[in-house]
Amino acid sequence: MNLAVIGIGYVGLVTGAVFADLGNMVICVDNMEEKVRMLENHEMPFYEPGLEEIVAINHEDGRLSFSTDLADAVRRSEIIFIAVGTPPMDDGQTDLSYVEAVAAEIGRNINDYKIIVNKSTVPVGTGEMVKDIINRFKPSNIDVDVVSNPEFLSEGTAISDAMSPDRIVIGAPNKRVAMKLIELYSTMEKPMVITSVRSAEMIKYASNAFLATKISFINSIANLCDRVGADIEEVTRGVGLDSRIGNKFLRAGIGFGGSCFPKDTESLLYVSRKYGAEIEIIDASIRVNRKQPDILMKKAADALGGLEGKTIGALGLSFKPGTDDLRESNALAIVSALLTAGATVRVYDPMAMEKCKPMCPDATYCEELYKVAEGADAVMLLTEWNKFKHLNFNRLRELMSGDMFFDGRNIYDPQVVRRAGLRYYGIGRGADG
Ligand code: UGA
């Protein structure tokens, strides 16, 4: 099929590349010329494992192209995906101005019947709003249908998530459109859930909010474990083996970040309040998450007798491993808070340091991971990159001037850390120090 994807962000680029890989002709459109030029040279605008390869192959084979010409892409495509950003506003509601602008442009340039598919995460009712805007600008003899087809890919595993999703949600206004989308996705051979447009929009928010709440729930249990002397890692093993609960998204730590969970929970809460059906549990999970970095900060301040003048080594900056994304990163929030408290912070991250430098110029950036430990009173693990999983704690300890290790993601066996003469502090591991 001939497809256009408007918006070359995470979702747009991965969606475009994957559809091209499945044999479709895809034009990815963005209004930033620089981005388009970079992609034509196979330079990625962000780091995502496997993305460069799939973009290069499909671009060279002529199935994937990049353009700033939205009008041309609209005219040449049967299905047009909207994948522009939907950033949060100060009060939590979703800023739909990019979606609105794209809808108006589609309306102005439409030359034939088209299916418009919303891939961006948008509040319930946006599908109808998009259709209204297109109707306002398009010639009256041309028809459009608007579908909601939310994306469930995670950063770091985006290609495999998009190629092989657990389910494909298609919120279609009628059977004919649903059939067209089913045909597009049929090669993936995955379960498809066909719903109304509004239900599909809600599925996306409900999924992200549920996962975020699972994390805040387990972090709350972890904080109680600290007080009562239980170990959250033992507790989650016991809880997670209940097949009704499952062990995914039950990892306690410094809290959730990224461009999705914080924004989507805020947006769902805003909408629920607007409709007089406040989801109080979402309010609670947001509040728990905001406080979670402070748990590690307080442990460090108490153990070190204050943070001012101390040297802290920090491993990890990105909001999770496998990405250079720093948006709403609790790792970065902790580094910034340590600096504000008067500490010297020596940082290392495998991918995110260049992006971080302008945002956090006062940190000391180390070119090698063990360098964070040089002269450090304490070292903190903030993002659980694979290369941090098998640290040589003896080497770390020798380089440090102090003996404290803070494991913000509970990835180490406390006994292994302690054997190197370090004091171990985790999240909810019961016995600190
Ligand atoms: C999330 C969802 O997982 C995707 O399904 C969804 O498509 C995407 O948002 C989106 O809406 O676009 P992502 O933000 O890339 O994906 O990252 P996750 O892997 O979900 O992690 C989010 C945050 O939760 C990270 O900061 C991670 O460290 C934290 N987390 C995750 C925990 O603290 N504990 C866990 O057990 C799992």
Side-chain angles (χ1 to χ4, degrees):
M1 288 186 204
N2 289 324
L3 312 175
V5 180
I6 302 171
I8 308 183
Y10 241 103
V11 170
L13 184 54
V14 172
T15 302
V18 166
F19 278 135
D21 209 58
L22 293 173
N24 300 286
M25 296 297 289
V26 184
I27 313 173
C28 288
V29 182
D30 201 284
N31 54 12
M32 282 174 70
E33 253 173 60
E34 171 71 5
K35 209 184 246 185
V36 167
R37 199 191 48 72
M38 275 173 69
L39 282 161
E40 280 172 342
N41 294 320
H42 305 165
E43 290 167 43
M44 299 302 109
F46 47 81
Y47 172 71
E48 178 63 37
L51 183 62
E52 196 176 329
E53 292 80 352
I54 187 174
V55 166
I57 288 170
N58 286 286
H59 183 240
E60 276 163 13
D61 288 354
R63 284 186 301 274
L64 181 64
S65 57
F66 304 99
S67 169
T68 51
D69 192 345
L70 188 142
D72 175 61
V74 166
R75 288 191 207 109
R76 284 167 43 186
S77 307
E78 316 166 54
I79 304 181
I80 299 154
F81 290 86
I82 302 180
V84 291
T86 49
M89 302 214 256
D90 286 345
D91 58 2
Q93 70 175 304
T94 303
D95 178 356
L96 290 171
S97 55
Y98 299 112
V99 174
E100 288 163 5
V102 166
E105 272 304 283
I106 293 172
R108 279 190 204 100
N109 293 289
I110 206 161
N111 60 334
D112 205 350
Y113 170 75
K114 309 280 174 189
I115 297 174
I116 315 300
V117 182
N118 237 328
K119 270 269 169 211
S120 306
T121 301
V122 288
V124 176
T126 305
E128 286 146 51
M129 182 202 82
V130 166
K131 183 158 181 159
D132 288 347
I133 296 175
I134 296 175
N135 281 341
R136 228 180 290 149
F137 291 94
K138 73 172 179 53
S140 56
N141 59 334
I142 295 176
D143 209 7
V144 287
D145 278 310
V146 178
V147 173
S148 167
N149 169 220
E151 183 52 62
F152 299 99
L153 61 81
S154 293
E155 294 184 20
T157 52
I159 305 293
S160 57
D161 290 344
M163 286 271 191
S164 185
D166 286 353
R167 78 303 203 187
I168 296 154
V169 174
I170 299 170
N174 57 58
K175 256 200 185 135
R176 186 172 58 122
V177 184
M179 288 312 291
K180 193 76 186 165
L181 268 288
I182 290 171
E183 188 191 333
L184 176 66
Y185 279 108
S186 59
T187 48
M188 286 186 185
E189 295 181 348
K190 291 290 168 189
M192 298 199 203
V193 183
I194 314 299
T195 69
S196 70
V197 175
R198 284 184 172 240
S199 297
E201 289 167 340
M202 185 58 97
I203 287 168
K204 172 69 187 190
Y205 280 99
S207 303
N208 273 4
F210 186 82
L211 292 171
T213 303
K214 225 176 156 184
I215 298 168
S216 279
F217 176 83
I218 209 64
N219 281 336
S220 302
I221 298 286
N223 298 339
L224 180 59
C225 283
D226 261 339
R227 300 289 170 92
V228 299
D231 182 342
I232 191 66
E233 294 306 308
E234 295 175 352
V235 172
T236 48
R237 267 206 303 284
V239 171
L241 281 170
D242 183 328
S243 60
R244 294 169 302 175
I245 298 173
N247 60 9
K248 293 184 180 156
F249 282 72
L250 272 192
R251 279 181 287 112
I254 56 174
F256 60 79
S259 63
C260 305
F261 286 178
K263 154 175 98 77
D264 295 347
T265 45
E266 291 282 1
S267 175
L268 185 59
L269 182 62
Y270 178 90
V271 170
S272 72
R273 284 180 176 151
K274 185 172 141 192
Y275 285 88
E278 179 175 330
I279 308 177
E280 290 173 55
I281 196 167
I282 303 295
D283 188 23
S285 54
I286 293 168
R287 281 189 279 119
V288 168
N289 194 57
R290 282 208 193 110
K291 281 195 239 152
Q292 202 59 16
D294 303 343
I295 303 283
L296 199 71
M297 287 290 292
K298 184 167 179 335
K299 283 188 186 216
D302 289 350
L304 289 160
L307 295 164
E308 191 163 7
K310 302 292 185 321
T311 298
I312 315 278
L315 293 170
L317 291 165
S318 54
F319 83 95
K320 67 173 202 175
T323 175
D324 59 356
D325 200 336
L326 292 160
R327 285 177 287 179
E328 302 289 326
S329 165
N330 281 354
L332 178 55
I334 287 174
V335 168
S336 302
L338 290 168
L339 288 164
T340 306
T344 297
V345 190
R346 300 174 61 77
V347 299
Y348 174 80
D349 185 286
M351 293 306 306
M353 292 209 286
E354 286 314 308
K355 268 197 185 166
C356 196
K357 282 176 186 169
M359 297 164 75
C360 190
D362 296 333
T364 307
Y365 292 86
C366 301
E367 68 275 17
E368 194 262 325
L369 80 89
Y370 286 97
K371 285 210 175 291
V372 304
E374 283 176 7
D377 297 287
V379 170
M380 288 182 174
L381 180 286
L382 300 177
T383 312
E384 68 279 31
W385 284 92
N386 273 340
K387 72 184 289 184
F388 299 155
K389 285 192 176 152
H390 301 284
L391 283 186
N392 180 338
F393 287 104
N394 290 318
R395 184 169 166 205
L396 205 75
R397 174 73 183 93
E398 276 165 25
L399 294 165
M400 291 170 68
S401 62
D403 65 354
M404 287 175 203
F405 191 90
F406 295 87
D407 182 359
R409 300 285 183 177
N410 287 357
I411 64 168
Y412 301 111
D413 177 346
Q415 295 313 324
V416 171
V417 179
R418 288 185 184 120
R419 270 203 294 275
L422 287 161
R423 282 189 272 169
Y424 177 89
Y425 300 79
I427 305 283
R429 308 299 299 266
D432 276 340

